Amino acid sequence: MGLALAEARRALATEDVPIGAVVIGPDGAVLGSGRNQREELGDPTAHAEVVAIREAAERLRQLSLNGGGRGDGWRLSDCTLIVTLEPCAMCAGAIVLARIPRVVFGAWDEKAGAAGSVFDVLRERRLNHWVEVYPGVREAECAALLREFFAGHRTRL
């Protein structure tokens, strides 16, 4: 979670909401990392989770093409995603489609969370893949970063 928090803090430089994510491989190596980049890139899909998943998939694809990896790259079936905020519906869908078996997150998102708060996409039994969810890791620290960001934004408006 420390690496995800570091990514979240990097988002502050571009005035993006400070959310960070990392994808960890089965050996504990970081395969991908990301932070919110919606403001920076003008891309509504540039959520931390999606950025990290894309990077991890590309790294695995390159390893496979070079003979040093396994699979096709897009199946992150042995990986763990760690993110500072409960994934939204879009990110939860990407997690399911990438076949990520475990998600660890910090703060709950009571407005848009899709890992148990508002929706539970990650454990929806009607889907073809289910995800183990480990919530509340360093929750206070993750939530404080978001609270401080939004408090600062409200005072500038």
Side-chain angles (χ1 to χ4, degrees):
M1 187 59 77
L3 295 173
L5 279 161
E7 282 293 323
R9 288 184 191 97
R10 289 183 61 210
L12 294 170
T14 57
E15 297 193 28
D16 276 286
V17 177
I19 300 169
V22 292
V23 175
I24 306 294
D27 61 354
V30 175
L31 296 174
S33 60
R35 65 188 181 282
N36 271 12
Q37 293 181 278
R38 292 184 308 171
E39 299 297 329
E40 179 182 1
L41 301 177
D43 179 354
T45 68
H47 287 206
E49 300 94 313
V50 172
V51 172
I53 289 168
R54 286 177 179 157
E55 186 175 295
E58 179 59 21
R59 179 159 293 143
L60 289 179
R61 190 174 82 76
Q62 289 302 319
L63 285 170
S64 182
L65 291 174
N66 295 325
R70 56 166 175 65
D72 48 26
W74 70 265
R75 287 182 182 88
L76 306 179
S77 56
D78 296 329
C79 298
T80 300
L81 175 75
I82 302 167
V83 61
T84 57
L85 182 68
E86 177 184 5
C88 70
M90 176 185 71
C91 293
I95 291 163
V96 169
L97 292 173
R99 307 297 195 270
I100 296 173
R102 281 169 304 286
V103 170
V104 175
F105 71 83
W108 290 92
D109 184 349
E110 299 296 331
K111 293 182 180 177
S117 287
V118 179
F119 307 104
D120 200 352
V121 173
L122 298 181
R123 293 175 284 204
E124 173 55 58
R125 290 291 168 198
R126 292 172 288 187
L127 297 176
N128 64 334
H129 176 73
W130 308 288
V131 180
E132 294 176 49
V133 177
Y134 300 92
V137 175
R138 294 176 71 174
E139 181 175 5
E141 192 175 352
C142 293
L145 185 59
L146 289 162
R147 268 194 311 278
E148 291 165 14
F149 172 80
F150 286 114
H153 253 272
R154 283 190 286 280
T155 59
R156 285 185 291 214
L157 296 178

